[in-house]
């Protein structure tokens, strides 16, 4: 019973299929179970293992237990859509083995083979061609065996014929390998579709193969004549293919081999073959390279020898020998290869093919009369072509007189190519026997071959005419030779019947074929036992419900079917108890898919009521819908399937509680995701509580459904700018992971960039102003990709330059995180800095700031910025972030520009330089020590920067009290004091330091004393400060004042008359011995004023000297004495320098004065800036003092003589003068 | 070839000493790079260098490497250690027991590379004399390598590179022609190339 169930009813009704399945598994548990297990494994493992497993399955079901073959066929065929080429090739191999084992399977598998023939991989196509070569013979043999051919079998053969034509068409394929395979197929086809003769040299293994002579002429469907014609046409195609001028060397080699095989296996084609060889030899394709020519010639030789060895070559020995001689074979070798031919030669010579054929037929015990009419035209036509060359050669022979030949040579000289073609070079052998008859014959033949090849010559015309005659005869003979009109009638009746059946039942036999392939296609996952039911379509056809209920009216049918389905629906529990629920599921799905509308909705509703429990039904329904769609290809619509999928998915989406991943499963296992389904998925992803699950589903889709992955990816990408933060961030994190996949990278990048470009291009369309939020939306994706692919930063720069100011500001705010993520070692960031597109300067600066915010700049970064600054954009602001990476002199050079910037910026610069901004440790990176910085400020050329900025900058320094300690300031003062000329601000700094650190007083005294040695009075500004300083440090400064030369002392008293009296008293308090050391001139100045208030005579004395020095270049005179007098005593620390106690005591009551820190500073500020508007409040306080002190100081210090004349001008001139001196 | 799929493999055929060494060296390095490589002789005998060029040691294909090894040790251990033959045999015997003859091998290959035209001819003759069955194509390439040390080394590299290039092609059959032309030009030596069918 089982056997009959499988054999006859292989595609029987649903019920019988199930029963047979059941029984079989029960009957043969072990093998079958093992196969199931292996197949389940195969679905999950890697390609290599999969192949091993599948081969095991093949062994089990083809060799061990062929009864299982039918059972598992679909499961194996399902692998034909596997991603791996090797697995698909395995499937082809399996088809071959299966069909060889059970020819009936051709009915089901031929369509699959047809599908695989169109595979995208050439390797699969090649394998399919190889298999087809075998199966064509198998199919033919099988059908010939069957006397009455069924519709299905007819359709199968039709398809085989169609595929055969397709393969022949592949001779024109673009792919060399495919062409090679097509040639071999053609070879095999020609052999199959031509009769085997006694002289056929058939390989042992192919002894049993079918050939034309075994085809009965009375077969109901296979037409002998048609096959014969097809064979001939295949040979023609092959020959035509061979003379293509651009044929590849491998194709040519293959074709040469095929021809040799043909000649040996079907000697009736010997003449065509030899002629083709001749033609080729004389016309090697010009496209061949030199080495290819030698390869081809080697092959030609090899094949010619093999043809020559065949006894039937006897008639062509002359031509073959000539060719072989030309190919460089020695006569003796040729002779060795020539068969000992005396007898066969004669026999064959006398017996035309027809007779040989007849004998053969007699031997084969086949129909004796039939072949004759078929074979006769063949020799005649071959003789025809044969003699075309012969005739032309004969025609040419007498014309080849020396004169004619000489003319020919001369004429053809003109047409010779510039370079000797490789083929000529390879083939050329010196003509040994020029002028002999043999050689002239050979030449005539060569020319004849060429001419015939080109379609010229009298021989060809003659032959054409003859061929036509023969054809006409053939036609006539065909009609008349059909001696038995009955047979004709019978045949035509049969064919008529076929025609009727074709018209009458196209669906009956066509659909299984067309359905076959799609049906398998829909089963990509054979793990699901319910969905893998084989032969679904077959059964569907047999289950003709419509037939049974025909008598009912439409309404009745509707009602009954509804009720039936409802009963099945409601029987859920009962059936589940009986363990047959899978049958119910299958039944429901299959039934419902066949009806429109209501029932489907009912079923879907039913499923959705308990989705988890009824998921199996859901899947089954879905698959059936899809199958239905496939079976209606190409006109089928996906609507019904789409509706089903959409309803299920949205049902799941709308249900609040779904934790078991059913949604994911449904999405991933659906054969096709339609647009509406994709919308549901998107909605699912937008649901904050399910966003993760939704997106991981989407991710799976993207990764596992490559055909539409970009569409899925797009959904995910769109979500990356979603307004819900959670949706967005999840999407971004998924995209980031996808971004690592090479093939998705581009797409993601493009999307991100497009979005970013919205900022620029969509501007025109966006009515509402850009908010930070909208800018962020455009940048979310981009910014999260940026740390993964630094190259993208350039795109941002490009967009940035074109964006409006609002957008720019937003961009600058949002890039902090990603830029920091990239780090300053990123080559692309460095490149960006280096290139700094025009308009992106602010962006670059922002990046620089972000990068150097927490860490010191790297040398590479500094290098780029420096370059940028020097070569392209000389904006000093670029330097700020990397200022600590610059060289000392660079910083000093940039200082004038830096301190002119906005006060906040200047503050930042100083913070960086002084290390007051970074965390500990990084301050050591500063190229300038605080002291050096302050000194550098003093040395700024006042032509490059106004004094006010410099003073503000020094004030910033003084503001950092914990950086500028008394020690630092002492060192600064010391160094400044040693400079020549003295910096203008020297005394200002001294006073300020003193104000900050009163204990420096002793040190300052030392400074003052040394300044006297440096003739401080020659620098008006400094001198002014000097006096002021002395005034401030009154008791201690007496000793210093006493060291002044008399005129200068007088000048001091001029400025501060109140100093004189105390100083004098101070001197008087000396011991006599000490007093003796005071020069008389000094004493004179001290006392003079008490007697004569006018100090003029003395200054006059000195006056000329000073004038002189002012006119002569100043520096030389000044610098001369400086080093000499400054044999430096070890710089005394300020503490040691505390003066004798009385002085200190005197100082105390004066504290009040000293402790007004801003006063002196402010005064100086006023001086230098000459009534600038920005005078601070303190200035007004000290105004009274400064105004008083100002003028006298100026006058006495600078030009005592001129004072009376123009005091106001003088004060205005101070600055330029000071500037000049400081330049030096 | 090599790009091991089903019965795909690369086969060496060579019987000459130096180029054989080259072939072996080459096949070793190819093997290391994931090629499925086999090497064969095509002659009737296995010839190993002897004490003089005209006195080679001759064995038939039945002799195992082990036997050859022992024989040579017995004959002149020092000489054969010095010229590396013993080392080579020692290595070979760990790979397979005895040398194989191409003509006796029934496995199917994708690519056969020979190092001498004579061997190429033998291979072609053998392949063409076999009965065609599966029609699976096998490409045969000859790269002439002169029988001296330098040539052998150069040739080995050339072949190795060629194989790698072939391995990297997506579609060997379609790209082979061009590839060979390129190599021909680069190496300035002619290649013979043909296709046979199993």
């Amino acid at each position: 019973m089982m056997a009959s169930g499988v054999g006859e009813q292989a595609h029987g009704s649903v019920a019988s299929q199930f029963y047979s399945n059941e029984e079989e598994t029960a009957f043969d548990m072990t093998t079958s179970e093992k196969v199931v297990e292996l197949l389940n494994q195969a679905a999950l493992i890697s390609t290599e293992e999969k192949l091993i497993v599948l081969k095991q399955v093949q062994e089990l079901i083809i060799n061990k237990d062929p009864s299982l073959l039918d059972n598992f066929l679909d499961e194996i065929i399902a692998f034909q859509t596997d991603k791996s080429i090797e697995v698909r090739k395995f499937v082809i191999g399996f088809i071959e083995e299966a069909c060889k084992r059970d020819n009936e399977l051709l009915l089901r598998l031929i369509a699959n083979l047809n599908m695989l023939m169109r595979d995208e991989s050439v390797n699969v196509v090649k394998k399919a061609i190889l298999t087809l070569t075998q199966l064509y013979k198998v199919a033919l043999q099988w059908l010939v065996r069957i006397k009455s051919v069924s519709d299905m079998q007819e359709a199968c053969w039709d398809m085989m014929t169609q595929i055969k034509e397709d393969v022949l068409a592949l001779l024109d394929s673009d792919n060399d390998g495919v062409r090679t395979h097509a040639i071999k197929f053609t070879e095999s086809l020609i052999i199959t579709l031509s009769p085997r003769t006694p002289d056929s040299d058939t390989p042992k293994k192919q002894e049993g193969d079918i050939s034309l002579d075994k085809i009965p002429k009375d077969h109901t469907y296979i037409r002998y004549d048609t096959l014969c014609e097809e064979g001939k046409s295949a040979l023609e195609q092959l020959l035509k293919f061979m003379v293509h001028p651009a044929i590849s060397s491998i194709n040519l080699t293959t074709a040469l081999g095929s021809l040799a095989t043909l000649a040996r296996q079907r000697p009736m084609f010997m003449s065509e073959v030899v002629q083709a060889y001749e033609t080729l030899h004389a016309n090697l394709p010009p496209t061949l390279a030199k080495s290819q020519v030698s390869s081809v010639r080697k092959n030609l030789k090899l094949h010619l020898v093999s043809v020559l060895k065949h006894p039937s070559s006897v008639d062509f020995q002359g031509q073959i020998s000539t060719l072989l001689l030309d190919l460089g074979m020695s006569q003796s070798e040729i002779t060795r290869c020539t068969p000992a031919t005396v007898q066969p030669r004669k026999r064959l010579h006398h017996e035309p093919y027809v007779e040989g054929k007849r004998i053969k037929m007699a031997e084969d015990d086949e129909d004796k009369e039939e072949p004759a009419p078929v074979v006769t035209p063949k020799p005649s036509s071959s003789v025809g072509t044969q003699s075309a060359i012969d005739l032309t050669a004969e025609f040419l022979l007498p014309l080849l007189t020396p004169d004619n030949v000489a003319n020919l040579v001369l004429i053809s000289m003109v047409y010779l190519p510039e370079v000797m073609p490789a083929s000529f070079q390879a083939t050329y052998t010196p003509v040994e026997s020029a002028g002999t008859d043999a050689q002239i014959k050979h030449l005539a033949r060569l020319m004849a071959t060429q001419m015939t090849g080109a379609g010229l010559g009298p021989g060809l015309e003659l032959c054409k005419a003859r061929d036509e005659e023969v054809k006409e005869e053939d036609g006539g003979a065909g009609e008349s030779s059909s001696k038995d009109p009955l047979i004709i009638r019978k045949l035509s009746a049969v064919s008529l019947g076929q025609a009727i059946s074709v018209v009458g039942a196209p669906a009956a036999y066509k659909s299984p074929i067309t359905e076959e392939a799609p049906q398998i296609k829909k089963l990509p996952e054979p793990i699901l036992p319910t969905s893998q039911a084989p032969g679904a379509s077959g059964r569907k056809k047999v289950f003709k419900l419509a037939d049974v209920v025909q008598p009912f009216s439409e309404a009745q049918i509707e009602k009954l079917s509804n009720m039936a389905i409802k009963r099945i629906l409601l029987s859920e529990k009962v059936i589940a108890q009986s363990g047959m629920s899978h049958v119910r599921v299958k039944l429901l799905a299959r039934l419902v898919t066949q009806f429109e509308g209501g029932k489907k909705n009912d079923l879907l509703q039913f499923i959705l009521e308990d989705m988890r429990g009824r998921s199996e039904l859901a899947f089954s329904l879905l698959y059936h819908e899809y199958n239905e769609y496939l079976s209606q290809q190409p006109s089928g619509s996906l609507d019904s399937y789409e509706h089903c999928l959409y309803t299920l998915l949205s049902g799941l989406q709308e249900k609040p509680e779904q934790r078991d991943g059913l949604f994911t499963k449904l999405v991933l296992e659906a054969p096709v995701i339609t647009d509406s389904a994709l919308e549901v998925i998107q909605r699912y992803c937008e649901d904050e509580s399910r966003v993760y699950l939704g997106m991981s589903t989407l991710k799976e889709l993207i990764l596992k459904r490559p055909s539409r992955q970009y569409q899925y990816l797009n959904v995910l990408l769109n979500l990356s700018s979603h307004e819900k933060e959670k949706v967005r961030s999840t999407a971004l994190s998924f995209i980031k992971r996808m971004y690592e996949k090479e093939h998705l990278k581009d797409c993601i990048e493009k999307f991100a960039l497009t979005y970013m470009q919205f900022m620029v291009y969509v501007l025109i369309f966006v009515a509402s102003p850009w908010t930070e939020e909208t800018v962020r939306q455009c940048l979310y994706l981009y910014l999260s990709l940026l740390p993964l692919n630094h190259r993208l930063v350039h795109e941002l720069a490009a967009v940035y330059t074109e964006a409006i100011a609002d957008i720019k500001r937003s961009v600058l705010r949002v890039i902090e995180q990603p830029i920091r993520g990239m780090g300053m070692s990123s080559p692309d960031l460095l490149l960006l800095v280096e290139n700094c597109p025009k308009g992106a300067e602010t962006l670059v600066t922002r990046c620089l700031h972000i990068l150097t915010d927490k860490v010191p700049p790297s040398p590479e970064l500094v290098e780029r910025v420096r370059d940028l600054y020097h070569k392209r954009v000389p904006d000093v602001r670029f330097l700020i972030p990397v200022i600590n990476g610059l060289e000392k002199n660079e910083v000093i050079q940039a200082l004038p520009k830096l301190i002119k910037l906005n006060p906040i910026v200047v503050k930042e610069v100083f913070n960086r330089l002084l290390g007051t901004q970074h965390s500990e440790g990084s301050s050591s990176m500063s190229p300038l020590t605080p002291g050096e910085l302050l000194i550098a400020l003093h040395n700024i050329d006042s032509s490059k920067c106004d004094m006010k900025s410099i003073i503000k900058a020094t004030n910033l320094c003084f503001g950092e009290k914990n950086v500028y300690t008394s020690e630092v300031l002492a060192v600064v003062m010391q160094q400044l004091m040693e400079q020549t000329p003295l910096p203008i601000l020297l005394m200002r700094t001294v006073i300020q330091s003193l104000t900050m650190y009163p204990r420096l007083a002793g040190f300052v005294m030392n400074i003052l004393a040394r300044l006297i040695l440096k003739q401080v009075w020659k620098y008006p500004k400094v001198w002014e400060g000097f006096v002021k300083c002395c005034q401030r440090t009154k008791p201690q400064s007496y000793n210093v004042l006493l060291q002044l030369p008399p005129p200068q002392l007088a000048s001091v008293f001029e400025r501060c008359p109140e100093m004189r009296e105390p100083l004098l008293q101070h001197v008087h308090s000396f011991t006599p011995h000490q007093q003796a050391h005071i020069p008389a001139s000094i004493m004179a100045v001290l006392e003079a004023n008490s007697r004569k208030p006018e100090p003029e005579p003395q200054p006059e004395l000195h006056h000329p000297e000073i004038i002189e020095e002012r006119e002569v270049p100043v520096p030389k005179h000044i610098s001369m004495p400086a080093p000499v007098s400054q044999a430096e005593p070890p710089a005394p620390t300020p503490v040691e320098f505390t003066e004798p106690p009385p002085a200190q005591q005197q100082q105390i009551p004066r504290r009040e004065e000293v402790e007004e820190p801003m006063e002196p500073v402010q005064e100086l500020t006023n001086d230098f800036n000459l009534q600038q508007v920005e005078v601070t409040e303190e200035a007004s306080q000290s105004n009274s003092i400064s105004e008083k002190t100002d003028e006298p100081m100026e006058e006495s210090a600078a030009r005592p003589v001129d004072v009376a004349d123009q005091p106001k001008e003088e004060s205005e001139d101070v600055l330029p003068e000071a500037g000049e001196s400081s330049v030096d | 070839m090599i790009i091991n799929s089903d019965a795909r493999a690369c086969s060496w055929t060579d019987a000459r000493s130096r180029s054989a060494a080259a072939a072996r060296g080459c096949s070793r390095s190819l093997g290391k790079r994931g090629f499925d490589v086999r090497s064969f002789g095509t002659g009737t005998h296995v010839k190993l260098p002897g004490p003089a060029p005209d006195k080679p040691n001759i064995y038939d294909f039945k002799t195992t490497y082990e036997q050859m090894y022992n024989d040579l040790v017995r004959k002149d251990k020092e000489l054969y250690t010095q010229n590396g033959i013993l080392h080579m045999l020692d290595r070979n015997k760990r790979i397979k027991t005895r040398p194989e003859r191409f003509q006796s091998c029934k496995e199917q290959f994708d690519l056969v590379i020979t190092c001498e035209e004579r061997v190429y001819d033998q291979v072609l003759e053998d392949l063409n004399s076999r009965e065609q069955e599966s029609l699976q194509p096998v490409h045969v390439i000859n790269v002439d390598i002169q029988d001296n040390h330098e040539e052998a080394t150069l040739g080995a590299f050339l072949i190795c590179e060629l194989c790698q290039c072939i391995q990297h092609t997506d579609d060997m059959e379609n790209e082979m022609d061009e590839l060979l032309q390129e190599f021909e030009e680069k190496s300035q030596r002619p290649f013979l190339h043909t296709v046979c069918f199993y």
Side-chain angles (χ1 to χ4, degrees), chain A residues 18 21 40 75 522-523 525-534 536 539 580-587 589-590 615-621 623-624 665 669:
Chain A
F18 284 128
N21 272 348
N40 283 342
E75 281 78 358
K522 79 140 206 202
L523 296 172
E525 288 142 320
I527 324 156
L528 268 187
T530 43
S531 64
Q532 59 178 229
R539 262 169 266 150
M580 294 301 275
S581 50
H582 62 286
V583 178
R584 172 178 164 273
V585 166
K586 210 178 288 184
L587 211 55
R590 190 158 309 157
S615 63
E616 209 178 336
L617 188 54
F619 281 111
S620 192
L621 180 66
Y623 291 144
H624 274 95
K665 194 171 176 222
E669 295 187 5

Side-chain angles (χ1 to χ4, degrees), chain A residues 51 55 86 89 122-123 126-127 130 133-134 174-181 184-185 187-188 202-206 248-251 253-254 257 261 264 287-292 294-296 298-299 302-303 309, chain B residues 3-8 106 117-118 120-121 124-140 142 170-178 180-181 184 189-198:
Chain A
L51 280 172
K55 276 173 187 161
E86 293 309 320
K89 283 170 70 180
V122 285
N123 287 323
K126 286 190 243 176
K127 174 80 183 161
L130 286 181
T133 312
Q134 308 293 333
D174 291 335
N175 184 291
D176 206 36
V178 170
R179 287 197 301 267
T180 305
H181 282 75
K184 293 307 278 185
F185 174 81
E187 169 197 322
S188 165
T202 307
K204 284 195 202 81
K205 283 175 188 153
Q206 291 165 31
S248 81
S249 99
I250 282 301
N251 283 167
T253 311
T254 312
T261 311
R264 275 184 288 114
T287 47
L288 296 188
K290 197 176 160 196
S291 66
Q292 288 177 331
S294 26
S295 293
V296 167
K298 215 178 223 319
N299 260 292
L302 192 75
H303 295 310
K309 282 178 179 165
Chain B
I3 316 144
N4 195 339
S5 43
D6 37 12
R8 303 180 135 226
K106 294 301 163 220
E117 190 165 344
R118 187 178 54 83
Y120 174 83
D121 290 343
L124 247 57
E125 201 183 327
D126 172 61
L127 287 173
N128 276 309
S129 69
R130 298 185 189 189
E131 282 186 3
Q132 291 184 10
E133 202 175 359
S134 69
L135 300 185
Q136 181 75 45
V138 48
H139 287 258
V140 187
N142 180 58
D170 293 328
D171 181 358
M172 173 180 95
E173 288 198 272
N174 204 28
E175 295 167 43
M176 181 87 95
D177 256 2
E178 226 167 291
L180 285 178
Q181 303 258 23
E184 232 170 47
R189 50 177 104 210
F191 289 12
L192 291 169
H193 170 213
T194 192
V195 64
C196 296
F197 298 86
Y198 282 107

Side-chain angles (χ1 to χ4, degrees), chain A residues 159 177 331 397 509 526 600 622 835 853 908 1036 1054 1209:
Chain A
M159 184 162 231
Q331 185 61 53
L397 192 58
Y509 81 94
K600 269 177 202 169
L622 193 63
N835 293 340
D853 195 19
E908 198 214 321
Q1036 291 111 305
E1054 233 166 78
E1209 269 187 58

Side-chain angles (χ1 to χ4, degrees), chain B residues 16-45:
Chain B
R16 299 174 71 175
S17 52
R18 289 247 184 247
S19 39
R24 261 181 289 273
C26 202
S27 93
R28 227 178 24 259
S29 71
L30 284 174
K32 273 185 205 151
R33 295 170 205 214
F35 295 80
D36 177 4
V37 188
R38 298 268 300 270
S39 62
F40 296 94
T42 51
T44 42
H45 294 100

